[in-house]
Amino acid sequence: MRILIITVPLRDAPAGDIPYGALTVINYVKKQGYKDIELYHIDDLRPSYSEVLDHIKRFKPDILGISAIVSTSYAYVKSVSLDIKKILPDALVVVGGNMGASAEVLLRKTGTDLVVIGEGEKAFLNIVRKAEQTKRPDDFVDIKGLALIDGEGQLQNTGYETALPIEDIWDVDFEDL
């Protein structure tokens, strides 16, 4: 299972922030035995858009996680998710972060398959596990912490996943940067 997590540009210039949410998700998933997972910190690196698509295409993720923490990055999330669906139609596109508050818009107007709502570590791990058998978004309805469009075309909110213990919230490996 190849997993790529990307950050997206937040503003015109790099924010200079450490993507703690993405790093925590990556470390949590790695600790469960999934080692083929990487971070592509687009917000910091600022590659051209074509370089972003080329990088993702070369990586060939089974799951593309998009860390979208502010609404200013909606246009980028929309573009990259739709373009990746054209290039890698079998990739499962998962959006997490505060932009998840706009789950229905993401699910209906972009190439997003699943939106993680709330804390993402456990929900994302469960997505990875389920994606070993299926990548049909409506098959993920039994996983807590998601929004998705079901087989009837209806928005489903699966409820919130239980919170991580406090000692695990900031558990990151800075080597992932």
Side-chain angles (χ1 to χ4, degrees):
M1 180 70 52
R2 292 182 57 79
I3 307 158
L4 182 64
I5 307 279
I6 65 171
T7 62
V8 293
L10 304 179
R11 293 172 191 82
D12 291 337
D17 297 331
I18 295 172
Y20 281 107
L23 289 172
T24 302
V25 167
I26 289 169
N27 202 39
Y28 191 80
V29 170
K30 279 184 175 180
K31 285 184 172 187
Q32 301 304 312
Y34 296 93
K35 303 297 184 195
D36 201 358
I37 181 170
E38 290 184 11
L39 174 70
Y40 186 31
H41 194 7
I42 297 167
D43 184 47
D44 187 54
L45 298 172
R46 295 302 169 120
S48 70
Y49 188 72
S50 64
E51 289 173 317
V52 168
L53 295 180
D54 287 344
H55 182 89
I56 296 169
K57 184 178 178 180
R58 277 192 313 276
F59 190 89
K60 294 182 185 163
D62 297 298
I63 300 173
L64 176 66
I66 302 174
S67 177
I69 61 171
V70 295
S71 61
T72 56
S73 58
Y74 172 77
Y76 197 95
V77 170
K78 182 177 182 179
S79 295
V80 78
S81 64
L82 288 170
D83 287 339
I84 289 306
K85 280 299 189 180
K86 290 176 192 167
I87 298 167
L88 301 168
D90 294 330
L92 187 67
V93 177
V94 180
V95 174
N98 292 339
M99 194 181 292
S102 300
E104 188 163 15
V105 172
L106 288 166
L107 292 164
R108 295 195 189 278
K109 303 287 185 186
T110 75
T112 302
D113 295 305
L114 302 169
V115 175
V116 175
I117 53 174
E119 290 183 11
E121 294 80 3
K122 291 180 181 179
F124 195 80
L125 174 62
N126 290 329
I127 290 168
V128 171
R129 288 176 172 158
K130 178 77 111 184
E132 292 179 312
Q133 288 86 40
T134 181
K135 290 187 189 153
R136 287 186 29 187
D138 58 327
D139 288 339
F140 291 77
V141 73
D142 61 331
I143 295 176
K144 293 283 187 202
L146 301 181
L148 56 97
I149 302 296
D150 67 17
E152 306 287 319
Q154 298 300 308
L155 177 68
Q156 295 294 321
N157 178 327
T158 65
Y160 291 97
E161 179 57 84
T162 56
L164 285 176
I166 192 75
E167 61 272 8
D168 292 340
I169 291 177
W170 299 103
D171 188 13
V172 300
D173 182 349
F174 289 106
E175 293 296 319
D176 289 326
L177 278 174

